[in-house]
Amino acid sequence: MPDPTTVDIHVRVNGTGRRATVSPRLTFADFLRVDCGLTGTHLGCEHGVCGACTVLLDGEAVRACLLFAVQADGAEVTTVEGLSGQNGELTKVQAAFREHHGLQCGFCTPGLVVSVTAFLAEHPKPTDDEIREALTGNLCRCTGYQGIVNAVRAAAQGEEAPA
């Protein structure tokens, strides 16, 4: 007889299928961090305000702390770990954050990188005002945001990182 207090789910995370039996109240952020070992998905506020837990769910940026793992059943998920290439090469967004000082302590960086990746997929040539508006869903206590804006602009313009 199946356990009524658990649910079987199947999620494709960073290209790998994962099956799990989870509590219906387990957050997707905790599933990714604990069950999948993907600790790049950070937990900041656990209220969906800070954006540190942002992941791509079927290509859309979502807050993993506001989603239950059972709600992701059948979905394709990309975490910050899944953005880099097979050999660890940085994406244009990641390289731009590094080159334009878009990070300091790094806590908010994974959520910002995922959010910016989704934003640039929909807005490949954003204005600075559009960039600033897009960043309002992610909180950073260290940078003052100008380096982040510069990084997003550089990634959008396709600037290559210096060798």
Side-chain angles (χ1 to χ4, degrees), residues 28-29 32 40-44 48-57 60-65 77-81 83 108-118 137-139:
F28 194 51
L32 291 170
T41 302
H42 291 169
L43 288 169
V49 175
C50 73
C53 67
T54 304
V55 299
L56 300 178
L57 182 74
E60 183 178 339
V62 299
R63 305 294 197 247
C65 72
V77 179
T78 304
T79 68
V80 70
E81 293 94 341
L83 294 178
C108 67
T109 306
L112 276 161
V113 167
V114 172
S115 294
V116 167
T117 298
N138 294 79
L139 300 179

Side-chain angles (χ1 to χ4, degrees), residues 143-157:
T143 65
Y145 294 94
Q146 191 55 51
I148 297 169
V149 172
N150 294 342
V152 177
R153 185 186 319 110
Q157 293 170 349

